[in-house]
Amino acid sequence: MARVKLTGGRVRDFKVRDGQKQSFLWDTDAPWFAVRATATAKVYIFQSRIEKRTVRVKIGSVDAWDIDKARAEARRLQTLIDAGTDPRDERAEVKARTAAKRVEAKRRDASVAEAWSAYIAARRGHWGERYYTDHVNLARPGGEPRKRGSGKTTPGPLAPLMGLKLADLTPEHIRDWLQAEASARPTQARQAFGAFRTFLAWCEDQPAYRGLAASDACSTRIARQELPKKAAKDDVLQ
């Protein structure tokens, strides 16, 4: 096993030896540290033993790692070995945490439109066709030619919320939306608020959407403050 003090020049000049698939040049300062050369790449590696098993870990490409930082990483890995920890287990844990963070970041990017589509698809079998169509229309973007008559369809009352992320839904967002809708079309606003409140409750039962929207986003207090009171009926027999 060839050993020299690894330097930038020695690493640069080191090549895979004739007749070998891979060759190693080991460091004298850190005996578990080496550069490994193949026909296509050169990388720094760490190699040691734990519980009578050989452990080899790739540190990184010689083009990406400064030699002193790579040697320091090899020393750090050896301290793990000395403490009884397999560096491969540490890397697996880091990889798992990173993957979990990516999944959570993607989950937190879920839009209201995405969750609403999943909601009405999941509940369709429990609804009548009219009730399902009503929910589709509540969130329709509008701007499509009308099937009857001229002109284009108007956006549904929930359309302004569809472009938001669930994680961005706060009482303030809902209050501003409901205030605007209630002033323009109070009856539809009341229906939309009730449907949206039920939708958010459904989201809390789904692991993919649980805990994203503020828990008080659709509180009854907002409805009392922003929706006009229902007018008493005056067409009943006395």
Side-chain angles (χ1 to χ4, degrees):
M1 183 184 293
R3 286 191 181 277
V4 296
K5 178 176 174 56
L6 290 182
T7 62
R10 284 172 173 158
V11 169
R12 183 182 61 248
D13 296 338
F14 182 61
K15 293 180 176 58
V16 62
R17 299 182 181 91
D18 292 340
Q20 295 183 344
K21 292 184 178 180
Q22 59 180 3
S23 302
F24 297 85
L25 188 62
W26 295 89
D27 190 34
T28 52
D29 284 3
W32 348 268
F33 178 53
V35 59
R36 180 181 68 193
T38 65
T40 58
K42 277 189 289 189
V43 298
Y44 294 117
I45 63 132
F46 165 82
Q47 182 171 301
S48 189
R49 291 181 66 82
I50 184 171
E51 296 177 356
K52 300 181 180 180
R53 292 180 287 110
T54 298
V55 174
R56 180 182 293 174
V57 175
K58 183 177 82 170
I59 295 174
S61 166
V62 299
D63 296 325
W65 279 77
D66 173 81
I67 189 170
D68 291 330
K69 290 182 178 179
R71 184 182 283 112
E73 174 64 6
R75 290 194 173 102
R76 188 190 73 82
L77 295 175
Q78 184 57 42
T79 61
L80 292 177
I81 292 280
D82 294 341
T85 299
D86 190 326
R88 295 171 298 188
D89 294 338
E90 181 203 46
R91 289 199 170 185
E93 291 174 5
V94 170
K95 187 176 181 180
R97 287 197 299 269
T98 301
K101 286 180 180 179
R102 283 198 298 267
V103 170
E104 178 61 16
K106 183 178 180 180
R107 192 180 80 91
R108 295 193 68 80
D109 277 340
S111 68
V112 174
E114 172 194 328
W116 181 261
S117 294
Y119 167 61
I120 62 176
R123 300 302 300 165
R124 184 170 187 174
H126 303 273
W127 295 343
E129 192 61 28
R130 176 63 182 275
Y131 197 68
Y132 167 77
T133 301
D134 286 345
H135 278 71
V136 172
N137 289 335
L138 284 173
R140 70 185 177 196
E144 300 173 352
R146 293 183 181 277
K147 294 181 179 179
R148 295 181 180 178
S150 60
K152 295 183 178 181
T153 58
T154 57
L158 292 178
L161 299 176
M162 292 295 118
L164 297 175
K165 294 180 182 179
L166 274 174
D168 290 338
L169 284 180
T170 62
E172 291 73 24
H173 273 117
I174 299 300
R175 181 179 289 108
D176 290 345
W177 159 77
L178 189 58
Q179 194 174 65
E181 289 296 326
S183 65
R185 40 186 175 181
T187 301
Q188 289 185 326
R190 185 181 300 278
Q191 178 190 12
F193 181 85
F196 201 72
R197 189 178 184 192
T198 303
F199 156 69
L200 289 185
W202 176 86
C203 286
E204 286 303 303
D205 288 334
Q206 312 306 311
Y209 307 122
R210 183 179 299 138
L212 294 181
S215 59
D216 57 347
C218 275
S219 69
T220 54
R221 182 184 69 257
I222 294 175
R224 287 197 303 269
Q225 292 173 345
E226 304 303 335
L227 287 172
K229 292 182 179 180
K230 291 182 179 180
K233 293 184 177 181
D234 58 3
D235 60 348
V236 296
L237 292 176
Q238 298 296 322

